[in-house]
PDB file of all heavy atoms in Angstrom:
ATOM      1  N   MET A  25       2.331 -45.118  61.496  1.00 98.00           N
ATOM      2  CA  MET A  25       2.153 -45.670  60.158  1.00 98.00           C
ATOM      3  C   MET A  25       3.416 -46.342  59.638  1.00 98.00           C
ATOM      4  O   MET A  25       3.339 -47.274  58.837  1.00 98.00           O
ATOM      5  CB  MET A  25       1.682 -44.588  59.203  1.00 98.00           C
ATOM      6  CG  MET A  25       0.244 -44.157  59.460  1.00 98.00           C
ATOM      7  SD  MET A  25      -0.919 -45.550  59.420  1.00 98.00           S
ATOM      8  CE  MET A  25      -0.725 -46.058  57.723  1.00 98.00           C
ATOM      9  N   ALA A  26       4.582 -45.882  60.084  1.00 98.00           N
ATOM     10  CA  ALA A  26       5.818 -46.580  59.714  1.00 98.00           C
ATOM     11  C   ALA A  26       5.774 -48.012  60.236  1.00 98.00           C
ATOM     12  O   ALA A  26       6.145 -48.961  59.538  1.00 98.00           O
ATOM     13  CB  ALA A  26       7.029 -45.837  60.275  1.00 98.00           C
ATOM     14  N   PHE A  27       5.286 -48.181  61.470  1.00 98.00           N
ATOM     15  CA  PHE A  27       5.151 -49.524  62.038  1.00 98.00           C
ATOM     16  C   PHE A  27       4.085 -50.319  61.307  1.00 98.00           C
ATOM     17  O   PHE A  27       4.276 -51.495  60.961  1.00 98.00           O
ATOM     18  CB  PHE A  27       4.809 -49.434  63.528  1.00 98.00           C
ATOM     19  CG  PHE A  27       4.543 -50.775  64.166  1.00 98.00           C
ATOM     20  CD1 PHE A  27       5.592 -51.546  64.649  1.00 98.00           C
ATOM     21  CD2 PHE A  27       3.253 -51.284  64.264  1.00 98.00           C
ATOM     22  CE1 PHE A  27       5.356 -52.796  65.223  1.00 98.00           C
ATOM     23  CE2 PHE A  27       3.003 -52.521  64.828  1.00 98.00           C
ATOM     24  CZ  PHE A  27       4.062 -53.277  65.317  1.00 98.00           C
ATOM     25  N   VAL A  28       2.932 -49.696  61.056  1.00 98.00           N
ATOM     26  CA  VAL A  28       1.811 -50.397  60.424  1.00 98.00           C
ATOM     27  C   VAL A  28       2.184 -50.891  59.031  1.00 98.00           C
ATOM     28  O   VAL A  28       1.905 -52.048  58.673  1.00 98.00           O
ATOM     29  CB  VAL A  28       0.577 -49.476  60.367  1.00 98.00           C
ATOM     30  CG1 VAL A  28      -0.492 -50.049  59.442  1.00 98.00           C
ATOM     31  CG2 VAL A  28       0.008 -49.267  61.762  1.00 98.00           C
ATOM     32  N   VAL A  29       2.803 -50.033  58.224  1.00 98.00           N
ATOM     33  CA  VAL A  29       3.196 -50.440  56.876  1.00 98.00           C
ATOM     34  C   VAL A  29       4.168 -51.613  56.935  1.00 98.00           C
ATOM     35  O   VAL A  29       4.028 -52.593  56.208  1.00 98.00           O
ATOM     36  CB  VAL A  29       3.800 -49.254  56.099  1.00 98.00           C
ATOM     37  CG1 VAL A  29       4.489 -49.728  54.818  1.00 98.00           C
ATOM     38  CG2 VAL A  29       2.713 -48.236  55.743  1.00 98.00           C
ATOM     39  N   THR A  30       5.143 -51.529  57.826  1.00 98.00           N
ATOM     40  CA  THR A  30       6.116 -52.613  57.975  1.00 98.00           C
ATOM     41  C   THR A  30       5.436 -53.911  58.390  1.00 98.00           C
ATOM     42  O   THR A  30       5.703 -54.991  57.832  1.00 98.00           O
ATOM     43  CB  THR A  30       7.185 -52.230  59.020  1.00 98.00           C
ATOM     44  OG1 THR A  30       7.819 -51.020  58.622  1.00 98.00           O
ATOM     45  CG2 THR A  30       8.239 -53.315  59.152  1.00 98.00           C
ATOM     46  N   ASN A  31       4.530 -53.820  59.362  1.00 98.00           N
ATOM     47  CA  ASN A  31       3.861 -55.013  59.863  1.00 98.00           C
ATOM     48  C   ASN A  31       2.931 -55.610  58.813  1.00 98.00           C
ATOM     49  O   ASN A  31       2.894 -56.828  58.612  1.00 98.00           O
ATOM     50  CB  ASN A  31       3.081 -54.668  61.137  1.00 98.00           C
ATOM     51  CG  ASN A  31       2.780 -55.892  61.990  1.00 98.00           C
ATOM     52  OD1 ASN A  31       2.355 -56.917  61.470  1.00 98.00           O
ATOM     53  ND2 ASN A  31       2.994 -55.783  63.283  1.00 98.00           N
ATOM     54  N   HIS A  32       2.184 -54.764  58.108  1.00 98.00           N
ATOM     55  CA  HIS A  32       1.305 -55.275  57.050  1.00 98.00           C
ATOM     56  C   HIS A  32       2.113 -55.966  55.950  1.00 98.00           C
ATOM     57  O   HIS A  32       1.695 -57.005  55.421  1.00 98.00           O
ATOM     58  CB  HIS A  32       0.490 -54.136  56.447  1.00 98.00           C
ATOM     59  CG  HIS A  32      -0.707 -53.721  57.270  1.00 98.00           C
ATOM     60  ND1 HIS A  32      -1.177 -54.442  58.334  1.00 98.00           N
ATOM     61  CD2 HIS A  32      -1.540 -52.646  57.158  1.00 98.00           C
ATOM     62  CE1 HIS A  32      -2.245 -53.838  58.846  1.00 98.00           C
ATOM     63  NE2 HIS A  32      -2.481 -52.743  58.147  1.00 98.00           N
ATOM     64  N   LEU A  33       3.240 -55.377  55.578  1.00 98.00           N
ATOM     65  CA  LEU A  33       4.077 -56.001  54.555  1.00 98.00           C
ATOM     66  C   LEU A  33       4.571 -57.372  55.020  1.00 98.00           C
ATOM     67  O   LEU A  33       4.633 -58.323  54.234  1.00 98.00           O
ATOM     68  CB  LEU A  33       5.267 -55.109  54.217  1.00 98.00           C
ATOM     69  CG  LEU A  33       4.991 -53.925  53.294  1.00 98.00           C
ATOM     70  CD1 LEU A  33       6.193 -52.990  53.235  1.00 98.00           C
ATOM     71  CD2 LEU A  33       4.636 -54.409  51.888  1.00 98.00           C
ATOM     72  N   ALA A  34       4.902 -57.472  56.296  1.00 98.00           N
ATOM     73  CA  ALA A  34       5.443 -58.727  56.825  1.00 98.00           C
ATOM     74  C   ALA A  34       4.368 -59.797  56.987  1.00 98.00           C
ATOM     75  O   ALA A  34       4.643 -60.992  56.804  1.00 98.00           O
ATOM     76  CB  ALA A  34       6.125 -58.472  58.169  1.00 98.00           C
ATOM     77  N   GLU A  35       3.140 -59.388  57.316  1.00 98.00           N
ATOM     78  CA  GLU A  35       2.144 -60.383  57.720  1.00 98.00           C
ATOM     79  C   GLU A  35       0.931 -60.498  56.795  1.00 98.00           C
ATOM     80  O   GLU A  35       0.209 -61.486  56.866  1.00 98.00           O
ATOM     81  CB  GLU A  35       1.670 -60.083  59.139  1.00 98.00           C
ATOM     82  CG  GLU A  35       2.809 -60.192  60.147  1.00 98.00           C
ATOM     83  CD  GLU A  35       2.337 -60.383  61.561  1.00 98.00           C
ATOM     84  OE1 GLU A  35       1.442 -59.648  62.009  1.00 98.00           O
ATOM     85  OE2 GLU A  35       2.874 -61.284  62.220  1.00 98.00           O
ATOM     86  N   LEU A  36       0.692 -59.502  55.946  1.00 98.00           N
ATOM     87  CA  LEU A  36      -0.442 -59.588  55.029  1.00 98.00           C
ATOM     88  C   LEU A  36      -0.007 -59.954  53.616  1.00 98.00           C
ATOM     89  O   LEU A  36      -0.661 -60.770  52.961  1.00 98.00           O
ATOM     90  CB  LEU A  36      -1.223 -58.266  54.999  1.00 98.00           C
ATOM     91  CG  LEU A  36      -1.838 -57.792  56.306  1.00 98.00           C
ATOM     92  CD1 LEU A  36      -2.709 -56.554  56.056  1.00 98.00           C
ATOM     93  CD2 LEU A  36      -2.652 -58.870  56.984  1.00 98.00           C
ATOM     94  N   ILE A  37       1.069 -59.328  53.130  1.00 98.00           N
ATOM     95  CA  ILE A  37       1.538 -59.618  51.763  1.00 98.00           C
ATOM     96  C   ILE A  37       3.061 -59.838  51.754  1.00 98.00           C
ATOM     97  O   ILE A  37       3.788 -59.179  51.019  1.00 98.00           O
ATOM     98  CB  ILE A  37       1.128 -58.504  50.775  1.00 98.00           C
ATOM     99  CG1 ILE A  37       1.571 -57.115  51.266  1.00 98.00           C
ATOM    100  CG2 ILE A  37      -0.373 -58.517  50.543  1.00 98.00           C
ATOM    101  CD1 ILE A  37       1.359 -56.025  50.201  1.00 98.00           C
ATOM    102  N   PRO A  38       3.556 -60.775  52.565  1.00 98.00           N
ATOM    103  CA  PRO A  38       5.006 -60.987  52.642  1.00 98.00           C
ATOM    104  C   PRO A  38       5.610 -61.362  51.295  1.00 98.00           C
ATOM    105  O   PRO A  38       4.991 -62.071  50.499  1.00 98.00           O
ATOM    106  CB  PRO A  38       5.149 -62.132  53.654  1.00 98.00           C
ATOM    107  CG  PRO A  38       3.823 -62.806  53.666  1.00 98.00           C
ATOM    108  CD  PRO A  38       2.809 -61.736  53.419  1.00 98.00           C
ATOM    109  N   GLY A  39       6.810 -60.875  51.056  1.00 98.00           N
ATOM    110  CA  GLY A  39       7.515 -61.208  49.829  1.00 98.00           C
ATOM    111  C   GLY A  39       7.124 -60.363  48.636  1.00 98.00           C
ATOM    112  O   GLY A  39       7.630 -60.569  47.529  1.00 98.00           O
ATOM    113  N   THR A  40       6.222 -59.402  48.826  1.00 98.00           N
ATOM    114  CA  THR A  40       5.787 -58.546  47.719  1.00 98.00           C
ATOM    115  C   THR A  40       6.935 -57.685  47.221  1.00 98.00           C
ATOM    116  O   THR A  40       7.709 -57.140  48.008  1.00 98.00           O
ATOM    117  CB  THR A  40       4.607 -57.660  48.166  1.00 98.00           C
ATOM    118  OG1 THR A  40       3.494 -58.506  48.468  1.00 98.00           O
ATOM    119  CG2 THR A  40       4.214 -56.651  47.093  1.00 98.00           C
ATOM    120  N   ASN A  41       7.052 -57.564  45.878  1.00 98.00           N
ATOM    121  CA  ASN A  41       8.086 -56.721  45.297  1.00 98.00           C
ATOM    122  C   ASN A  41       7.535 -56.010  44.062  1.00 98.00           C
ATOM    123  O   ASN A  41       6.334 -56.050  43.802  1.00 98.00           O
ATOM    124  CB  ASN A  41       9.357 -57.525  44.978  1.00 98.00           C
ATOM    125  CG  ASN A  41       9.101 -58.640  43.974  1.00 98.00           C
ATOM    126  OD1 ASN A  41       8.269 -58.517  43.067  1.00 98.00           O
ATOM    127  ND2 ASN A  41       9.813 -59.750  44.128  1.00 98.00           N
ATOM    128  N   GLU A  42       8.440 -55.369  43.312  1.00 98.00           N
ATOM    129  CA  GLU A  42       8.026 -54.543  42.177  1.00 98.00           C
ATOM    130  C   GLU A  42       7.380 -55.345  41.047  1.00 98.00           C
ATOM    131  O   GLU A  42       6.734 -54.753  40.160  1.00 98.00           O
ATOM    132  CB  GLU A  42       9.213 -53.745  41.643  1.00 98.00           C
ATOM    133  CG  GLU A  42      10.251 -54.535  40.863  1.00 98.00           C
ATOM    134  CD  GLU A  42      11.231 -55.323  41.728  1.00 98.00           C
ATOM    135  OE1 GLU A  42      11.074 -55.307  42.972  1.00 98.00           O
ATOM    136  OE2 GLU A  42      12.153 -55.957  41.168  1.00 98.00           O
ATOM    137  N   LYS A  43       7.526 -56.656  41.059  1.00 98.00           N
ATOM    138  CA  LYS A  43       6.916 -57.480  40.019  1.00 98.00           C
ATOM    139  C   LYS A  43       5.472 -57.859  40.363  1.00 98.00           C
ATOM    140  O   LYS A  43       4.781 -58.462  39.549  1.00 98.00           O
ATOM    141  CB  LYS A  43       7.759 -58.735  39.791  1.00 98.00           C
ATOM    142  CG  LYS A  43       9.152 -58.426  39.266  1.00 98.00           C
ATOM    143  CD  LYS A  43      10.014 -59.669  39.177  1.00 98.00           C
ATOM    144  CE  LYS A  43      11.436 -59.306  38.757  1.00 98.00           C
ATOM    145  NZ  LYS A  43      12.321 -60.499  38.751  1.00 98.00           N
ATOM    146  N   ASP A  44       5.040 -57.517  41.565  1.00 98.00           N
ATOM    147  CA  ASP A  44       3.682 -57.823  41.983  1.00 98.00           C
ATOM    148  C   ASP A  44       2.721 -56.734  41.521  1.00 98.00           C
ATOM    149  O   ASP A  44       3.129 -55.686  41.008  1.00 98.00           O
ATOM    150  CB  ASP A  44       3.623 -57.977  43.510  1.00 98.00           C
ATOM    151  CG  ASP A  44       4.179 -59.314  43.961  1.00 98.00           C
ATOM    152  OD1 ASP A  44       3.566 -60.339  43.631  1.00 98.00           O
ATOM    153  OD2 ASP A  44       5.233 -59.332  44.629  1.00 98.00           O
ATOM    154  N   CYS A  45       1.440 -56.992  41.756  1.00 98.00           N
ATOM    155  CA  CYS A  45       0.400 -56.060  41.325  1.00 98.00           C
ATOM    156  C   CYS A  45      -0.794 -56.204  42.260  1.00 98.00           C
ATOM    157  O   CYS A  45      -1.146 -57.311  42.661  1.00 98.00           O
ATOM    158  CB  CYS A  45      -0.012 -56.355  39.883  1.00 98.00           C
ATOM    159  SG  CYS A  45      -1.187 -55.181  39.197  1.00 98.00           S
ATOM    160  N   SER A  46      -1.404 -55.071  42.603  1.00 98.00           N
ATOM    161  CA  SER A  46      -2.579 -55.049  43.458  1.00 98.00           C
ATOM    162  C   SER A  46      -3.770 -54.507  42.673  1.00 98.00           C
ATOM    163  O   SER A  46      -3.598 -53.886  41.625  1.00 98.00           O
ATOM    164  CB  SER A  46      -2.315 -54.162  44.688  1.00 98.00           C
ATOM    165  OG  SER A  46      -3.394 -54.215  45.594  1.00 98.00           O
ATOM    166  N   ILE A  47      -4.971 -54.734  43.184  1.00 98.00           N
ATOM    167  CA  ILE A  47      -6.170 -54.171  42.558  1.00 98.00           C
ATOM    168  C   ILE A  47      -7.025 -53.541  43.647  1.00 98.00           C
ATOM    169  O   ILE A  47      -7.210 -54.130  44.716  1.00 98.00           O
ATOM    170  CB  ILE A  47      -6.950 -55.236  41.756  1.00 98.00           C
ATOM    171  CG1 ILE A  47      -8.084 -54.591  40.965  1.00 98.00           C
ATOM    172  CG2 ILE A  47      -7.456 -56.357  42.644  1.00 98.00           C
ATOM    173  CD1 ILE A  47      -8.685 -55.513  39.913  1.00 98.00           C
ATOM    174  N   ALA A  48      -7.501 -52.320  43.406  1.00 98.00           N
ATOM    175  CA  ALA A  48      -8.294 -51.587  44.390  1.00 98.00           C
ATOM    176  C   ALA A  48      -9.775 -51.753  44.076  1.00 98.00           C
ATOM    177  O   ALA A  48     -10.240 -51.277  43.046  1.00 98.00           O
ATOM    178  CB  ALA A  48      -7.906 -50.108  44.391  1.00 98.00           C
ATOM    179  N   VAL A  49     -10.500 -52.430  44.956  1.00 97.00           N
ATOM    180  CA  VAL A  49     -11.931 -52.635  44.747  1.00 97.00           C
ATOM    181  C   VAL A  49     -12.769 -51.836  45.744  1.00 97.00           C
ATOM    182  O   VAL A  49     -13.994 -51.902  45.718  1.00 97.00           O
ATOM    183  CB  VAL A  49     -12.312 -54.132  44.833  1.00 97.00           C
ATOM    184  CG1 VAL A  49     -11.678 -54.910  43.707  1.00 97.00           C
ATOM    185  CG2 VAL A  49     -11.929 -54.723  46.185  1.00 97.00           C
ATOM    186  N   ALA A  50     -12.124 -51.090  46.612  1.00 95.00           N
ATOM    187  CA  ALA A  50     -12.819 -50.275  47.608  1.00 95.00           C
ATOM    188  C   ALA A  50     -12.227 -48.867  47.569  1.00 95.00           C
ATOM    189  O   ALA A  50     -11.134 -48.657  47.038  1.00 95.00           O
ATOM    190  CB  ALA A  50     -12.654 -50.895  48.997  1.00 95.00           C
ATOM    191  N   PRO A  51     -12.924 -47.872  48.134  1.00 95.00           N
ATOM    192  CA  PRO A  51     -12.404 -46.503  48.118  1.00 95.00           C
ATOM    193  C   PRO A  51     -11.059 -46.381  48.825  1.00 95.00           C
ATOM    194  O   PRO A  51     -10.865 -46.925  49.915  1.00 95.00           O
ATOM    195  CB  PRO A  51     -13.487 -45.709  48.866  1.00 95.00           C
ATOM    196  CG  PRO A  51     -14.734 -46.511  48.712  1.00 95.00           C
ATOM    197  CD  PRO A  51     -14.285 -47.946  48.731  1.00 95.00           C
ATOM    198  N   LEU A  52     -10.138 -45.649  48.208  1.00 97.00           N
ATOM    199  CA  LEU A  52      -8.812 -45.434  48.788  1.00 97.00           C
ATOM    200  C   LEU A  52      -8.861 -44.518  50.008  1.00 97.00           C
ATOM    201  O   LEU A  52      -7.848 -44.316  50.679  1.00 97.00           O
ATOM    202  CB  LEU A  52      -7.870 -44.832  47.741  1.00 97.00           C
ATOM    203  CG  LEU A  52      -7.542 -45.729  46.543  1.00 97.00           C
ATOM    204  CD1 LEU A  52      -6.684 -44.970  45.538  1.00 97.00           C
ATOM    205  CD2 LEU A  52      -6.834 -47.006  46.983  1.00 97.00           C
TER     206      LEU A  52
END
């Protein structure tokens, strides 16, 4: 999961920081 989180951050939501915001539309 350390690898997965790093890879997702790099390739799915690159550049995301504390000023960003997400919305959950599916079960966590």
Side-chain angles (χ1 to χ4, degrees):
M25 289 305 297
F27 175 85
V28 167
V29 168
T30 302
N31 201 315
H32 281 349
L33 282 170
E35 297 200 312
L36 299 187
I37 53 171
T40 295
N41 61 34
E42 73 281 3
K43 296 174 185 176
D44 283 294
C45 185
S46 185
I47 188 167
V49 295
L52 295 176

